[in-house]
Each structure stands twice: as C-alpha cells, then as structure tokens.
Amino acid sequence: MGVDQEQRQIRCLVAKVGLDGHDRGAHVISRAFRDAGFEVIYSGLHRAPEEIVQATVQEDVDVLGISILSGAHDTLVPEIIEGLEEYGAFEDTLVLVGGIIPDEDETELLELGVARVFGPGASMDEMIEYVRENAPERE
Amino acid sequence: MSELIQALLDGEHRALARVITKIENREPGYRDLVKQLHEHTGNADVIGLTGSPGSGKSTLVDKLAATYRDQGLTVGVIAIDPSSPFTGGAVLGDRIRMASNIGDMDVFFRSMSARGTLGGLSTATTDAVKALDAFGKDKILIETVGAGQNEIDIVKTAETVLVLVPPGSGDDVQMLKAGILEIGDIFVVNKADLEGSDRTVQELREMLDYRDGRVPGTVGHHGATEMDVSVEGEIDRAGWEPEIVETVAERGEGVDELLDTLADHRAYLDESGEREVQSRQRYAEEIRTLIREDVNELLTEELESRGGLDQFVQRVLDRETDPYSVSDEIVEPLAECLRDSDGD
C-alpha cells in the first residue's frame, strides 16, 4: 500500500507525586513539551504513586517525567517503578526525574532504571532534545 | 489472532493501552487489529458527553465512573482535547479531575488529542471504543469539547448524548444552537448551585420546545392539520423527549437522577427499536467514512506518482487544463477498473 498515513507522536506524562505543592516547574515543562509538538498529559498535584502508574499504563506514554521537590524521591520513585513493572510498562517507558536530587540519590535512581535526572538549571532545549532522541521505539 | 488482541481479550491493561496507541497512530497493521476486535464488541453502553470548556464534563465523568464502579460495573473513558494546529502538541488535562477513581484500574481513562488535519478523529474514536468494548468495559464514556463539526461527529458515535450546560448569562445556551442542541438526548445543567441556573434551565426548556415544535414544520408534508397525524408519526421515529437534569457534579448531587435518566433513555432505545436503527446508521456511516478515507488515500498516492499536485495546479493556473479535468484524469483509471470488474 505504500504511504499509510502514520502519525508517530511522542506522548509524555508530567507527574507530581506526594506532598509537594510546587508545580511551577511541571507547568513550564508541560508547556515547553507541548510547544515542541508532544502530547502532554499533566497529572495534577499531590498524586499517589499508584495513580501515576495507572496513568502511565493507560495513557501508554513514551515518557514519564516525575517532578519531585519534596525530597521523598527515594521512596516514591521506587514505588512507581515497581508498579510499572507489575503492568509490564517499565521497559518501554522512558522515566525521567526532575527536581532537587542529591548526587548520591541520583546514582541510586539511575540504578533503579531512571533514564536521567534533570536538576535545577537544566535547559528546556536540552530536555526536549533528550526526549526526542531517547523516546523508546515500540514494536 | 494476534498476540496483542489475545492479551487484550485476556484483560491485560497494557495490551488495551497499546492497541489504542496503534489505532491513534494508524500504525501499519492497525486495521487488522480493529478487524479482529469487531466480533467481540456490542456489549457496552456508549455515552457521549459534550459541553463548553468549564461546564464540568471531566468532573461529571469522574462521578459517573465512580458511581458505576460502586454498582460493580467497569468503565472506559475517552477524553478528547484539542491540539495545536501549528505544532501538533497538546496538553491533555481532563485526567486531573479523575479524583474519585485513584489507582482503580477498572476505570480505564485515555486522553486523546484531536491530531492533525486528517479528519480521522471520529474513526480513531470509534475504533478506540471498539477496543474498550472488546476488553469488556460495561460503560464507555466519550468526553469532548462541544465545538466544531468534528467533535459533533464524535459524540454522535455514542448511543446516548449528554450535553452539559453551565448556568450563566444565557450565552451558553445560545452557543448550543450550533448543531449541538439537535444531538442532545439529555441536557445536564451542571453547577446547578450557581446563581442563574434556574434561568438556564428555563431557557433550555424553551429552546428544546422550539426544537420539538419545529419537527412537524420541517417534516412539513401534512400542512396545517399536522398536529394529530404527523406528530404521532414523528414520535415513533424520534420519540425521546430530551430531558433536562440538574447536577452539582463536584458534590455528586443529581448524579443519581442523571443515572435514572440514562437508564430511561436506554430502555427507550430498546423498547422503540431505536437502538438497532441507530446502530445500523452508525455502521453505515462508518463504512462510508472508511471508503472515503481509503479511496482518498489511494488517489493521493496516484496523484504523487503522477508528479504531485503542484504541477496540476500550475497547469490549471496556466489555463492548460481545469480542476474538473484534472479530477477526471486522476479518477478515470479507477472508475474504469470498477466498471470492468462489474462486467465480469
């Protein structure tokens, strides 16, 4: 048939987990992603890890960006990753963490399977570029 | 049967999600998936919700889903948001309101954006509904901003159409005239605790009376004595009087009444035979749309292989040919083929 009108579109979930009301960063990133042509699903504030898992699975996003500024990343992120594994959604989802993460914690998160941690000062272009290059190819 | 479809039928959420992605992206092979889904569909109740931004659709969807869950029913939701025509990007925010169904996988909520310019959104929505139906969802809710023909087409794929109206200046009711008033089976005046809601209900009722009053007029072939005969005759076909229900979705008020009204409408569809009539119409429309899209695609390829549209445009500009002749030229081989195969 030739040119089937395929429309590959990068989908992202921008998620705020736990007791953390600081959503300016998440808003700015959502808009930047949108303007880059991505489809962005924003979770809203104060989400529980299981909600993030539910949303990631159901929305079948390519990218999960978790924004945490509360310092609870070391408990929340593992819970999310566990949940994703349970539903077979971990392997082909690019998991990113944004926020204030101490270096030693960053190493731990990366070992857990987080693809990259973006700290304060990371540029939008850098993030968008990273997502474009690393959004997983699906079968 | 493909593994993915088998996994979907086995109740794997990830498989359902992936099938919908393939449908949305129109990935190669998505058609085969949808073909396999069809025989497993036909068991879900499909409800469309539409209304202007801020009318409380998402909140109402959340409450409806929660109430269905209390009744032990499973729910699928498709929420459609506009995307930017410039970048194709979108922020899909309806999910934020799904606060009553935290972590409950038996509410499958999927955000879709009105992508691109292909006009294939109603096809994609119909196919996504099939995936949810085949998965075994009891209730499927389609939520869309009520603006534009495209979105009206989507909502029309539902068996029952809810139109949400926020109380206000009356301008909101005015907005409904643009094709939405005609498709609503149930009108929900949401945020009914706000000032002006009585007035909105009243205005709505007037407009609906007008809509019904108009029916004999447009059918029109009985002249002045229409009241007795043709109104009766008309009632058989469109015997559902649109209902108005007041809700305060945020507090769950009026949701039970709304569910009763939805049940009434369902009963009406069954008793009147309207359900079958409608599903015939829907399938007819679906087939027509698919044929149109397929032929369109085929001819786009043909156009490309003949050097693209631009050179035809140039020839039209130069008065060497005209648009009708170009169309004839492109379509003629196809027409010939079809006529030949008729002859066999």
Side-chain angles (χ1 to χ4, degrees), chain B residues 23-244:
Chain B
I23 287 169
E24 255 199 304
N25 288 346
R26 301 180 163 217
E27 279 174 38
Y30 92 93
R31 296 173 73 114
D32 286 331
L33 296 179
V34 182
K35 284 178 199 169
Q36 294 171 50
L37 290 174
H38 183 76
E39 64 172 304
H40 302 283
T41 60
N43 302 311
D45 291 322
V46 186
I47 301 161
L49 289 96
T50 189
S52 53
S55 57
K57 295 180 294 295
S58 304
T59 306
L60 186 63
V61 164
D62 180 49
K63 291 294 189 269
L64 282 175
T67 315
Y68 284 138
R69 291 295 297 134
D70 287 344
Q71 298 171 356
L73 300 169
T74 57
V75 184
V77 181
I78 296 175
I80 297 161
D81 261 340
S83 65
S84 159
F86 302 109
T87 63
V91 174
L92 309 171
D94 296 317
R95 210 180 170 100
I96 296 179
R97 307 270 175 250
M98 295 304 286
S100 308
N101 302 284
I102 292 170
D104 178 2
M105 274 296 194
D106 285 324
V107 177
F108 190 98
F109 186 102
R110 182 65 177 241
S111 317
M112 281 171 80
S113 86
R115 280 181 195 174
T117 51
L118 288 170
L121 185 59
S122 61
T123 307
T125 311
T126 310
D127 292 344
V129 166
K130 282 184 189 176
L132 290 167
D133 190 347
F135 186 83
K137 293 299 181 194
D138 300 307
K139 303 283 177 181
I140 298 171
L141 307 170
I142 309 171
E143 174 191 338
T144 158
V145 174
Q149 189 60 41
N150 214 349
E151 307 220 313
I152 291 177
D153 286 345
I154 294 160
V155 169
K156 278 202 302 201
T157 61
E159 291 160 338
T160 304
V161 177
L162 302 187
V163 175
L164 267 74
V165 188
S169 58
D171 290 352
D172 298 301
V173 179
Q174 291 293 321
M175 187 213 77
L176 293 175
K177 281 196 285 194
I180 285 190
L181 197 67
E182 291 87 336
I183 61 167
D185 298 306
I186 300 169
F187 290 82
V188 182
V189 176
N190 193 28
K191 308 187 184 180
D193 53 337
L194 292 186
E195 205 177 326
S197 83
D198 289 349
R199 193 185 151 90
T200 303
V201 170
Q202 193 187 351
E203 283 176 349
L204 201 51
R205 191 153 281 140
E206 268 169 36
M207 291 198 66
L208 289 171
D209 285 346
Y210 173 71
R211 158 180 134 162
D212 292 338
R214 207 182 48 152
V215 169
T218 44
V219 171
H221 41 252
H222 289 284
T225 57
E226 70 204 0
M227 280 315 285
D228 296 314
V229 193
S230 70
V231 170
E232 283 299 319
E234 196 57 32
I235 277 169
D236 280 344
R237 245 190 67 56
W240 174 256
E241 293 279 332
E243 294 276 346
I244 301 174

Side-chain angles (χ1 to χ4, degrees), chain B residues 309-326:
Chain B
L309 187 58
D310 283 348
Q311 51 112 1
F312 286 106
V313 171
Q314 189 59 51
R315 282 170 58 203
V316 169
L317 265 174
D318 294 342
R319 297 296 182 274
E320 284 170 27
T321 183
D322 64 284
Y324 279 96
S325 304
V326 172

